[in-house]
């Protein structure tokens, strides 16, 4: 375990402490969980690169598909 000092905005620390208290855990655990999630979540640049790669590898994948119609079809029945 490495110890380090970081400077955070007061309002963020207050919110994090309140969340830790609500979850009955430590501030350290809340910060560690958030940092891990941030590092494991793909960035928008990663997602853009993936989409570009898919477009280059499978250029005809969405050919003839109306995006709005597809989304509407996928969402049908959500409000039931």
């Amino acid at each position: 375990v490495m110890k380090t000092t970081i400077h955070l905005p007061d309002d963020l620390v207050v919110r994090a402490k309140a969340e830790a208290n609500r979850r009955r855990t430590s501030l350290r655990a809340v910060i560690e969980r958030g940092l891990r999630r941030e590092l494991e979540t793909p960035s928008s640049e990663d997602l853009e690169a993936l989409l570009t790669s898919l477009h280059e590898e499978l250029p005809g994948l969405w050919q003839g598909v109306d995006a709005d119609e597809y989304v509407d079809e996928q969402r049908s029945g959500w409000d039931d």
Side-chain angles (χ1 to χ4, degrees), residues 31-77:
I31 292 171
E32 182 179 342
R33 189 168 30 252
L35 184 55
R36 286 184 188 282
R37 186 179 310 126
E38 177 65 24
L39 294 174
E40 292 168 358
T41 302
S43 69
S44 59
E45 291 85 16
D46 293 339
L47 294 175
E48 183 67 31
L50 174 61
L51 289 174
T52 300
S53 173
L54 284 173
H55 180 70
E56 290 170 357
E57 296 294 323
L58 304 166
L61 181 64
W62 290 97
Q63 189 172 9
V65 175
D66 181 314
D68 291 330
E69 192 175 302
Y70 175 80
V71 169
D72 289 343
E73 181 182 310
Q74 295 303 307
R75 290 181 177 169
S76 69

Side-chain angles (χ1 to χ4, degrees), residues 14-31:
V14 168
R15 288 175 56 201
K17 284 181 178 181
E19 184 62 21
N21 188 41
R22 187 184 72 75
R23 295 182 184 191
R24 291 183 160 68
T25 189
S26 66
L27 176 61
R28 175 185 168 184
V30 169
I31 292 171

Side-chain angles (χ1 to χ4, degrees), residues 5-17:
T5 300
I6 57 172
H7 299 272
L8 300 170
D10 292 341
D11 63 314
L12 184 60
V13 174
V14 168
R15 288 175 56 201
K17 284 181 178 181

